[in-house]
Amino acid sequence: MEFVIVGGGLSGSLLALALRGRDIVLLESGQSLGGNHLWSFHEGDLQGEARALVEPLIVARWPAYEVAFPGHQRRVESGYFSVSSDRLHQVVTAALGDRVRFSARAVRLWNGAVELEDGHVLRGRVLDCRGPGQLQGKFAWQKFCGVEVRTSRAPTLPMLMDARVPQVDGFRFLYTLPLAADRVLVEDTRFSGDPHLDIKAVHASALTAARAAGHDGEVLRSEHGVLPLPIDRMPDGQGLGYGGGYFHPVTGYSLPLAAKVAVSVARGEPLPHWRGAQRFGLLLNRLLYRATQPEDRFRVLSRFYQLPEPVLRRFYALESTHLDRARILCGRPPRGVSLLRALGALT
């Protein structure tokens, strides 16, 4: 066998799609690919083959998005797209058929082979695409609970950040995606220094927010997650997914990098890297989580979202220029940022 892909999440599934013309097997420990998730990306994040790879997976798309903070609201003229785990499962299983193996838990990986829980050994080039569960280090945390509900009042555009809510558990905002004319996803998200997520309470908060916005139909689906956001260094594991450091360190967005990695593997090219951009992201995380009071973190994001749109676009794509980085860092610090701690974070 040429390739053994371990892990049927986002990165493993995209790799399988990119390699579907080759001799491969995709191993997933559960009964479906992708779990229960919705991934999104910005228009500037993907081009060429990477965008073409993702295109069949897109379930919703918008020409722009909005953000809102106390004192200002903004429409950003950049496309935004979402991919669902259901669509991922449908497309990948249709493309690969019985080359996807479910209930196939890998217990040992080594160079050129994978041992499964049932004792079988599969040989080939091993692509480890397991998630962030084994990461170690110092992290902040992106935590969220979301509800997808029926509605007769779906907004026109996504609201990526609505920080006009009480700031608890770090930087808190509501994330709203109108997935269809009668269906909307509302998430209560926190960027926190604490990994604990009270799923019941935050789920109730998301549902309350949905009801308050007039989305009062039946609950179709719910989701939750806790993503580590590194502060001192990116993960240095050997994996090709989130566990290997292929994600945006500030936002946790992983789809663009997963698609680019999949294309590079399929081409037989060296894996791309974003070391400089990720180092800058780590610096921003240190400033946000070590130099800023939790209740004032929204002010940092509010200032960021007043920058020119090209700066925002390149930041999300991990393509910030030196001038972009200077514009993000320079200027009068927002209230709540400790200059002394900020200087310590810069070293």
Side-chain angles (χ1 to χ4, degrees):
M1 192 168 296
E2 190 176 1
F3 294 97
V4 181
I5 304 171
V6 182
L10 177 66
S11 60
S13 295
L14 289 178
L15 270 165
L17 276 182
L19 294 166
R20 59 188 177 275
R22 314 277 278 274
D23 182 17
I24 68 170
V25 63
L26 174 61
L27 305 177
E28 165 56 38
S29 61
Q31 295 299 313
S32 64
L33 301 176
N36 175 31
H37 295 290
L38 193 75
W39 301 275
S40 298
F41 65 98
H42 296 79
E43 187 170 19
D45 293 348
L46 291 174
Q47 298 83 34
E49 287 186 57
R51 174 60 186 270
L53 180 68
V54 171
E55 186 65 28
L57 308 173
I58 296 172
V59 295
R61 60 188 77 214
W62 306 272
Y65 64 88
E66 295 179 314
V67 294
F69 295 86
H72 79 95
Q73 183 169 343
R74 181 181 185 184
R75 170 176 167 139
V76 180
E77 300 297 337
S78 175
Y80 195 68
F81 307 85
S82 289
V83 168
S84 73
S85 51
D86 285 346
R87 176 68 65 84
L88 183 75
H89 177 88
Q90 293 166 5
V91 171
V92 176
T93 53
L96 270 71
D98 61 6
R99 291 182 290 171
V100 181
R101 299 190 187 179
F102 295 104
S103 299
R105 184 179 300 278
V107 294
R108 189 159 68 102
L109 282 63
W110 66 97
N111 188 27
V114 175
E115 181 183 354
L116 302 181
E117 193 172 43
D118 62 9
H120 283 84
V121 174
L122 301 176
R123 301 189 183 279
R125 180 181 170 188
V126 178
L127 303 177
D128 184 359
C129 298
R130 293 174 295 180
Q134 304 303 314
L135 293 184
Q136 297 183 359
K138 296 180 180 178
F139 298 101
W141 307 88
Q142 180 188 158
K143 309 182 296 190
F144 61 89
C145 287
V147 291
E148 187 177 321
V149 298
R150 292 284 185 196
T151 182
S152 59
R153 301 178 59 183
T156 304
L157 295 177
M159 175 66 76
L160 265 59
M161 285 185 181
D162 187 347
R164 299 169 300 182
V165 293
Q167 294 297 299
V168 296
D169 197 13
F171 169 49
R172 175 180 175 241
F173 61 91
L174 298 177
Y175 174 74
T176 302
L177 294 183
L179 297 173
D182 64 346
R183 191 160 45 91
V184 66
L185 172 73
V186 178
E187 286 187 354
D188 186 319
T189 302
R190 292 103 187 273
F191 281 67
S192 173
D194 181 351
H196 174 69
L197 175 65
D198 186 334
I199 295 173
K200 183 177 181 180
V202 181
H203 177 276
S205 175
L207 185 58
T208 297
R211 300 306 192 213
H215 312 310
D216 54 3
E218 66 174 314
V219 176
L220 303 173
R221 187 180 68 90
S222 63
E223 63 177 43
H224 65 271
V226 179
L227 292 175
L229 301 173
I231 293 178
D232 293 320
R233 61 181 176 85
M234 292 299 295
D236 55 4
Q238 301 302 308
L240 296 179
Y242 205 103
Y246 291 97
F247 61 93
H248 196 300
V250 180
T251 67
Y253 279 54
S254 58
L255 187 149
L257 274 60
K260 293 175 183 179
V261 166
V263 169
S264 293
V265 172
R267 287 177 174 176
E269 297 175 348
L271 292 178
H273 66 80
W274 297 266
R275 294 190 187 98
Q278 287 179 322
R279 282 197 296 269
F280 179 64
L282 293 175
L283 171 60
L284 295 180
N285 282 351
R286 291 197 294 275
L287 289 170
L288 190 62
Y289 296 102
R290 291 179 175 170
T292 308
Q293 294 297 321
E295 64 273 15
D296 289 313
R297 287 178 188 149
F298 79 95
R299 303 181 192 280
V300 177
L301 277 298
S302 177
R303 178 184 179 277
F304 171 77
Y305 270 107
Q306 296 178 59
L307 293 170
E309 288 186 9
V311 176
L312 303 181
R313 183 179 67 249
R314 289 189 291 266
F315 172 78
Y316 276 114
L318 286 173
E319 295 174 351
S320 294
T321 66
H322 292 298
L323 180 58
D324 291 341
R325 297 174 191 182
R327 297 187 77 165
I328 291 170
L329 289 173
C330 293
R332 183 177 179 179
R335 195 177 83 195
V337 177
S338 163
L339 288 176
L340 184 61
R341 290 183 179 178
L343 289 172
L346 290 169
T347 59

